[in-house]
């Protein structure tokens, strides 16, 4: 939707910009702009009392800023309610409280009056920014001696690991998979049961929720990289076109090739404790 | 796996870092007493980002608190703990 500093008509959605945020209202006349709370200036914020839907004149609404008017495009015009209905709905809600900066704010209010549906594009944009943020996390941990073989998902992967003849390799594989579970939960909020894991032709396991790469070092360190873009991890050997860092204790070369900036999360497992020891940044 | 207070603080630091990479040095030193506004200088958009990301990470809803009540990192941690308990 476009916003222009043009003359307003009754039922128009109007807004002002305060810092990096907008305050919205429904224009009825120069003496009546209906809004959820006063514009959040420092002075208004200091006022006591619950935030409520109220009417002010246009100057109080504008508080010295430029007033912009919504110019819905053709498809939005089809969805918008008649102007009289917008005004009727706004007036009917005068005095209502229950303000919430994220879930019930001034933009939700005006959208509901104009389109019949509450929404907040500012909240949607910020949520999108969070969900689409670049993620590339590497979890490193010492491999304990005797890793429990239970709670490994999916069952097919558990059977594969249980079938590894060499006890040390089997132990490493179990721990790597458990570290992957922790990484998936911490970085993507999903456990392996719900990570849409499947084995591709050739034996490589992939997830429908994130990309990952596993590696272990000669001196008993496990490494898991999880990302929302392609990622490849190698401990001990250097990958081509990679970012590398040598950790001192225990000494291990961490080599990673990925699209995003990388954070390293040390998770030094002591009897499978889940303590995260620290978060460091690869430069 | 239940989260302890340290886990919550680490998660909040990750959120703050993702909101403003350039303040990494300040965020590294964040503790419960750090003021969100005077200590971290969070803009209103980044404050919104902190709250929304916190909702996503911890699976909670900020449905019964005003932003003015969240002055320090410890206030956010207390709110999260209260919601998770």
């Amino acid at each position: 939707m476009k916003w222009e500093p043009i003359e307003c008509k009754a039922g128009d959605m109007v807004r002002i910009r305060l810092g990096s945020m907008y305050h919205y209202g429904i224009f009825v006349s120069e003496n009546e702009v209906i809004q959820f709370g006063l514009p959040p200036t420092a002075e208004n914020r200091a006022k006591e009392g619950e935030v409520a839907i109220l009417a002010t004149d246009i100057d109080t609404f504008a508080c010295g800023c430029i007033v912009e008017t919504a110019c819905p495009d053709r498809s939005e015009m089809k969805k918008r309610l008649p102007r009289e209905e917008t005004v009727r709905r706004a007036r009917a809600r005068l005095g209502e409280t229950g303000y919430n900066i994220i879930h019930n704010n001034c933009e939700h209010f005006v959208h509901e009056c104009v389109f019949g549906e509450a929404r907040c594009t500012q909240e949607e944009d910020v949520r999108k920014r969070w969900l689409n943020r670049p993620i590339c996390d590497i979890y490193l941990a010492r491999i304990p001696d005797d890793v429990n073989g239970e709670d490994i998902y999916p069952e097919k992967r558990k059977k594969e690991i249980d079938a590894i003849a060499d006890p040390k390799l089997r132990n490493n594989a179990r721990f790597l998979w458990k570290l992957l579970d922790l990484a998936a939960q911490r970085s993507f909020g999903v456990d392996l049961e719900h990570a849409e894991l499947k084995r591709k032709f050739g034996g490589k396991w992939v997830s429908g929720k994130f990309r990952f790469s596993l590696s272990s070092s000669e001196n008993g360190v496990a490494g898991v990289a999880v990302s929302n873009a392609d990622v490849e991890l190698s401990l001990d050997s250097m990958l081509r076109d990679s970012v590398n860092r040598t950790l001192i204790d225990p000494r291990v070369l961490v080599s990673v090739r990925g699209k995003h900036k990388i954070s390293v999360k040390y998770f030094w497992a002591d009897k499978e404790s889940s303590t995260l020891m620290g978060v460091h940044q690869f430069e | 796996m239940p989260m302890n207070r340290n886990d919550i603080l680490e998660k909040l630091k990750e959120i703050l870092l993702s909101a403003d990479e350039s303040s990494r040095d300040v965020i590294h030193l964040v503790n419960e007493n750090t003021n969100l506004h005077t200590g971290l200088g969070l803009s209103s958009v980044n404050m919104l980002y902190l709250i929304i990301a916190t909702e996503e990470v911890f699976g909670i809803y900020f449905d019964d608190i005003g932003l003015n009540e969240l002055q320090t990192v410890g206030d956010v941690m207390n709110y999260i703990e209260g919601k998770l308990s």
Side-chain angles (χ1 to χ4, degrees):
Chain A
M1 186 163 359
K2 273 189 182 170
W3 292 83
E4 305 276 1
I6 54 174
E7 202 174 324
C8 321
K9 293 179 199 156
D12 270 340
M13 194 152 71
V14 289
R15 73 178 187 185
I16 55 156
R17 185 180 177 136
L18 283 168
S20 47
M21 305 286 284
Y22 290 96
H23 177 64
Y24 294 80
I26 297 293
F27 180 88
V28 182
S29 70
E30 294 283 321
N31 295 317
E32 188 182 6
V33 179
I34 302 173
Q35 60 215 278
F36 204 159
L38 288 166
T41 58
E43 191 188 334
N44 287 337
R45 272 196 205 143
K47 286 181 182 164
E48 294 287 325
E50 199 170 359
V51 178
I53 294 174
L54 48 83
T56 66
D57 60 36
I58 190 76
D59 291 336
T60 307
F61 174 79
C63 55
C65 303
I66 294 169
V67 177
E68 294 180 310
T69 306
C71 306
D73 62 24
R74 195 174 289 180
S75 70
E76 288 162 339
M77 282 302 281
K78 283 182 190 165
K79 289 181 201 158
R80 77 153 293 164
L81 300 168
R83 290 173 178 279
E84 315 78 64
E85 176 61 11
T86 294
V87 171
R88 192 196 65 74
R89 285 183 178 218
R91 282 176 172 161
R93 293 182 58 184
L94 282 168
E96 193 179 300
T97 55
Y99 182 89
N100 180 285
I101 183 74
I102 301 170
H103 303 292
N104 191 27
N105 63 30
C106 56
E107 193 181 353
H108 287 103
F109 165 68
V110 296
H111 259 273
E112 196 157 15
C113 293
V114 173
F115 296 107
E117 183 193 13
R119 68 178 284 214
C120 174
T121 56
Q122 294 180 107
E123 181 244 332
E124 288 167 4
D125 290 345
V126 171
R127 200 172 292 274
K128 222 177 277 172
R129 195 178 129 208
W130 165 255
L131 294 173
N132 295 334
R133 75 203 183 282
I135 300 172
C136 186
D137 296 333
I138 304 171
Y139 292 77
L140 299 168
R142 279 185 208 275
I143 303 174
D145 290 334
D146 189 16
V147 180
N148 184 340
E150 298 306 310
D151 303 327
I152 288 177
Y153 301 100
E155 188 61 24
K156 201 171 171 183
R157 180 60 185 152
K158 182 179 183 307
K159 282 181 182 166
E160 275 181 0
I161 294 174
D162 288 346
I164 297 172
D166 184 309
K168 190 182 172 197
L169 292 180
R170 187 171 61 238
N171 192 63
N172 288 3
R174 279 178 180 159
F175 186 68
L176 274 170
W177 210 253
K178 290 195 170 189
L179 190 58
L180 174 64
D181 197 3
L182 176 102
Q185 286 185 44
R186 279 200 64 95
S187 296
F188 288 91
V190 61
D191 59 35
L192 292 191
E193 267 188 287
H194 303 97
E196 297 171 10
L197 285 161
K198 60 178 180 185
R199 199 175 64 167
K200 277 172 52 175
F201 183 74
K204 186 176 165 58
W205 283 88
V206 293
S207 162
K209 298 283 186 184
F210 53 85
R211 319 281 175 89
F212 67 90
S213 178
L214 312 177
S215 183
S216 57
S217 73
E218 279 295 317
N219 60 353
V221 173
V224 168
V226 287
S227 178
N228 49 5
D230 286 340
V231 66
E232 195 175 354
L233 172 73
S234 173
L235 303 186
D236 287 347
S237 61
M238 205 179 286
L239 298 166
R240 281 180 62 186
D241 304 324
S242 58
V243 181
N244 303 290
R245 180 187 275 187
T246 301
L247 305 178
I248 304 300
D249 181 25
R251 195 166 182 84
V252 59
L253 169 71
V254 182
S255 180
V256 63
R257 184 161 54 204
K259 190 179 164 194
H260 300 316
K261 273 193 175 173
I262 296 152
S263 70
V264 183
K265 296 178 182 178
Y266 296 94
F267 168 70
W268 298 122
D270 174 21
K271 293 178 185 168
E272 298 191 51
S273 108
S274 61
T275 308
L276 189 76
M277 298 305 285
V279 179
H280 302 261
Q281 294 284 326
F282 259 33
E283 294 294 347
Chain B
M1 199 179 294
M3 275 196 182
N4 61 36
R5 238 174 133 74
N6 196 46
D7 288 338
I8 293 173
L9 180 60
E10 286 304 321
K11 279 281 177 197
L12 287 178
K13 282 187 190 178
E14 288 173 39
I15 292 170
L16 292 167
L17 253 182
S18 116
D20 185 8
E21 276 266 339
S22 62
S23 301
R24 185 181 298 168
D25 293 344
V26 179
I27 292 165
H28 185 66
L29 300 173
V30 159
N31 60 45
E32 295 196 22
N33 299 321
T34 307
N35 189 289
L36 298 167
H37 311 284
T38 55
L40 287 169
L42 288 188
S43 66
S44 44
V45 163
N46 277 345
M47 189 65 197
L48 203 58
Y49 185 88
L50 170 69
I51 299 303
I52 288 173
T54 300
E55 284 196 344
E56 293 285 342
V57 168
F58 296 96
I60 60 171
Y61 240 46
F62 279 80
D63 54 359
D64 52 4
I65 192 166
L67 285 194
N68 288 347
E69 293 167 62
L70 301 173
Q71 292 296 320
T72 66
V73 171
D75 292 340
V76 182
M77 291 169 68
N78 292 341
Y79 188 76
I80 294 167
E81 266 194 335
K83 283 282 180 179
L84 293 178
S85 64

